[in-house]
Amino acid sequence: MTTTAAAQGATERREDDALLQELRAWLKDNWDPDLSVGEWWERLGLAGWAAPSLPANAYGRDLSRADAVRVEQEIAAHGALGAPGGLGLLLAAPTIAVHGTQAQIDRYVRGIVTGQDAWCQLFSEPQAGSDLAGLQTKAVRDGDEWVVTGQKVWTSGGQIADYGMLLARTDPEAPKHRGISYFALPMHQPGVEVRPLREMTGRALFNEVFLTEAVVADDARIGDLNDGWRVANTTLAFERAGLGAGGGSAGGGSGAMPGSVAGHLERRAGDFVAGPGRR
């Protein structure tokens, strides 16, 4: 090893040590198993430890993926409840951090890192097959809102989601890779019906979602109008990276699930961890 490489390695180790020392001190002061899951996730998320690879303006700490993994491991080693899992943290938050306005980051990413909102992905359609750009779900503008009609399929977590990452066609005259927009669709509204896709075992890992004149505000559009294909490819890139790293679980490794439907936010945080952290 050259002198320069050795010096660089020593610097990286010092930075790593400083990062973990800061996190350990913070956990010592903040982890309390008697907090509710929601209370703990709010502390974790607003301190930047839930999604530390996000930018600082998006409730993160601008850490590398490797350092973010070390943060996750250190939280587990302390016996504390880990960050809220699911597609919100894996896909929606980093996509909105890239393409959203600061107002959208504050509205949506904050709810994700604090576990208040669960998300699903409304991309695939039964008629489109593997051709994602062939989607037929349409959004028609009505003043400051869009009225959405269509069907989505293979939707993981749709039954507990508060929001959906929605791709819809906003310009039917444009070529198929154009004329698509990306929305943060509120799931708890008339016109959104989630139906489980049951396997022979009776389990339902995925859902169909039927949209019948569901409404989404124009200020919930992520990215430019008719530029949803580019935004969607950002989401898909995060999906490939996250799944390759073993991410994508519905509730993290803890079993606690985010969002208003699952019913975990009011439960005791220590009940979702093993060992000394439970006490």
Side-chain angles (χ1 to χ4, degrees), residues 171-215:
D171 184 354
E173 304 302 320
K176 67 179 186 179
H177 286 81
R178 301 174 187 174
I180 295 171
S181 297
Y182 190 117
F183 297 94
L185 177 77
M187 295 291 286
H188 306 315
Q189 61 165 303
V192 177
E193 181 185 1
V194 180
R195 299 181 191 172
L197 286 170
R198 298 207 175 274
E199 302 175 358
M200 292 181 64
T201 61
R203 296 188 309 166
L205 298 178
F206 301 99
N207 304 274
E208 293 178 288
V209 178
F210 295 85
L211 305 168
T212 307
E213 297 187 348
V215 175

Side-chain angles (χ1 to χ4, degrees), residues 87 91-92 95-96 99 119-138 150-156 163-169 180-185 187 207-209 211 222 227-240:
L87 298 184
L91 304 181
T95 299
I96 295 169
H99 294 284
W119 286 65
C120 66
Q121 187 178 16
L122 301 173
F123 281 18
S124 298
E125 298 188 3
Q127 301 90 347
S130 61
D131 180 14
L132 180 59
L135 64 89
Q136 298 179 32
T137 294
K138 64 179 181 179
Q151 180 184 354
K152 299 294 182 176
V153 72
W154 309 121
T155 303
S156 174
Y163 287 95
M165 295 166 270
L166 171 69
L167 287 185
R169 192 163 296 284
I180 295 171
S181 297
Y182 190 117
F183 297 94
L185 177 77
M187 295 291 286
N207 304 274
E208 293 178 288
V209 178
L211 305 168
I222 309 301
D227 196 31
W229 183 249
R230 185 167 68 95
V231 183
N233 274 284
T234 298
T235 300
L236 296 173
F238 283 120
E239 183 174 42
R240 288 190 294 270

Side-chain angles (χ1 to χ4, degrees), residues 10-202:
T11 300
E12 290 175 351
R13 285 192 296 274
R14 285 195 298 271
E15 291 174 350
D16 179 55
D17 289 344
L19 172 69
L20 295 185
Q21 287 171 9
E22 179 186 359
L23 175 57
R24 287 167 190 151
W26 185 88
L27 288 167
K28 182 179 179 181
D29 290 340
N30 286 275
W31 167 242
D32 180 351
D34 290 326
L35 290 170
S36 70
V37 170
E39 289 169 336
W40 167 242
W41 276 344
E42 182 163 357
R43 290 188 184 186
L44 193 71
L46 297 186
W49 296 119
S53 61
L54 289 178
N57 73 310
Y59 302 94
R61 287 175 168 256
D62 287 301
L63 297 187
S64 67
R65 178 175 293 275
D67 281 339
V69 169
R70 281 189 276 272
V71 165
E72 181 180 354
Q73 292 170 340
E74 188 63 34
I75 292 171
H78 188 82
L81 178 65
L87 298 184
L89 211 65
L90 180 68
L91 304 181
T95 299
I96 295 169
V98 172
H99 294 284
T101 65
Q102 187 60 49
Q104 290 173 330
I105 289 170
D106 291 337
R107 184 192 316 172
Y108 300 120
V109 178
R110 188 186 195 283
I112 292 169
V113 300
T114 60
Q116 294 299 304
D117 299 318
W119 286 65
C120 66
Q121 187 178 16
L122 301 173
F123 281 18
S124 298
E125 298 188 3
Q127 301 90 347
S130 61
D131 180 14
L132 180 59
L135 64 89
Q136 298 179 32
T137 294
K138 64 179 181 179
V140 179
R141 189 153 193 172
D142 182 11
D144 292 332
E145 296 178 329
W146 294 84
V147 180
V148 184
T149 301
Q151 180 184 354
K152 299 294 182 176
V153 72
W154 309 121
T155 303
S156 174
Q159 75 280 14
I160 63 166
D162 298 289
Y163 287 95
M165 295 166 270
L166 171 69
L167 287 185
R169 192 163 296 284
T170 45
D171 184 354
E173 304 302 320
K176 67 179 186 179
H177 286 81
R178 301 174 187 174
I180 295 171
S181 297
Y182 190 117
F183 297 94
L185 177 77
M187 295 291 286
H188 306 315
Q189 61 165 303
V192 177
E193 181 185 1
V194 180
R195 299 181 191 172
L197 286 170
R198 298 207 175 274
E199 302 175 358
M200 292 181 64
T201 61

